[in-house]
Amino acid sequence: MHFTVAIPTYNGASRLPKLLEQLRTQVNTEDLVWEIIIVDNNSKDNTAEIVRQYQANWPEPYPLRYCLEREQGAAFARLRAIREANGELIGFLDDDNLPDTNWVAAAYLFGKEHPNAGAYGGQIHGDFEVEPPENFKRIQSFLAIREGGKKPHLYDPDHLNLPPAAAVVVRKQAWCENVPSRPTLGGKANGSMIQGDDYEPLLYMHKAGWEIWYHPTMQTYHQIPHWRLEKDYLISLIRGSSLCICHLRMINAKTWQKPIIIARIMLGSLRRAILHLLKYRWKVKTDLIAACEMEFHLSSFASPFYFIKTSLVSQFVRYTGKNQTGFV
């Protein structure tokens, strides 16, 4: 099989119909053998029922499949999709990210023309329910918006410049040969907003020599409701996106490099936080964008402490067989 569209979802009953209808309008796929897999990450709503209804009346030549992944977290849903997928290329789509009608064809063609590409993403535009605040473009990347121009180019994984999982294509071979079966970062789950789970597998692929590309012909539209522009949500999102920085930088680091990386993260983040405070002063409390940027600097500074803490906990669990609460 040529291509798999994988849709990890949690409580996506209200969002999936729009995405499935958009996938049914894909063009230039007549010569492709492809499939759609919905990975239900232990939803509490009627996601499974919605998918069953679609399956019962699915006239398309490409199959619509469903599987349930009970281990909570987007990273585990993506791992399940990799195991279930029959395609040599797997295109992940978040359930609130709508693709252009040529997305599948463009994604497959690029992978075929770039055999060294282990992963690649395209343009992700924001489709806002309400007008975003002034200067929102300064922080729009935290909402998986990517508008990197009209020319394909390589990403820069060494500086954590990578495509988000909201609309990324991975080569199954590159993933299966290089990505561990258990992620370090599981994704947002059980109240945690810690992220980085979408970057972690790409860094392992990069370490093995696979290229990570930006391909602008692949365009999607991220549906962003009004509440995702509220301060509390954005601050929490940015905190989770920043606390994982040290974890991510350690993935491809040698042992002797790790103390240097920690020092650079802390000193660099502290310097940027001080300069930011000097520039905006009290606006860091009243201006939404300035406040979000300050949160990024402070949480980046704290990321080595989070890395050390979780590493110690992991070692404790490994040697004692107990979790943080003391239970096996």
Side-chain angles (χ1 to χ4, degrees), residues 273-298:
I274 292 171
L275 291 175
H276 191 72
L277 185 60
L278 290 173
K279 181 177 180 179
Y280 291 99
R281 299 184 183 276
W282 292 112
K283 283 188 177 181
V284 297
K285 291 186 177 293
T286 59
D287 181 276
L288 174 61
I289 306 305
C292 288
E293 290 172 329
M294 178 57 82
E295 182 61 42
F296 169 69
H297 299 318
L298 294 178

Side-chain angles (χ1 to χ4, degrees), residues 139 142 231-243 245 269 273 276 284 287-303:
I139 63 167
F142 290 106
K231 183 176 181 179
D232 287 347
Y233 176 83
L234 286 171
I235 291 293
S236 179
L237 175 71
I238 290 171
R239 183 180 301 125
S241 301
S242 309
L243 284 175
I245 285 176
S269 299
H276 191 72
V284 297
D287 181 276
L288 174 61
I289 306 305
C292 288
E293 290 172 329
M294 178 57 82
E295 182 61 42
F296 169 69
H297 299 318
L298 294 178
S299 295
S300 299
F301 174 80
S303 69

Side-chain angles (χ1 to χ4, degrees), residues 43-61:
S43 295
K44 307 303 181 187
D45 65 358
N46 62 331
T47 290
E49 180 183 348
I50 293 294
V51 177
R52 282 195 296 269
Q53 291 173 2
Y54 266 91
Q55 288 176 316
N57 301 282
W58 189 255
E60 310 300 342

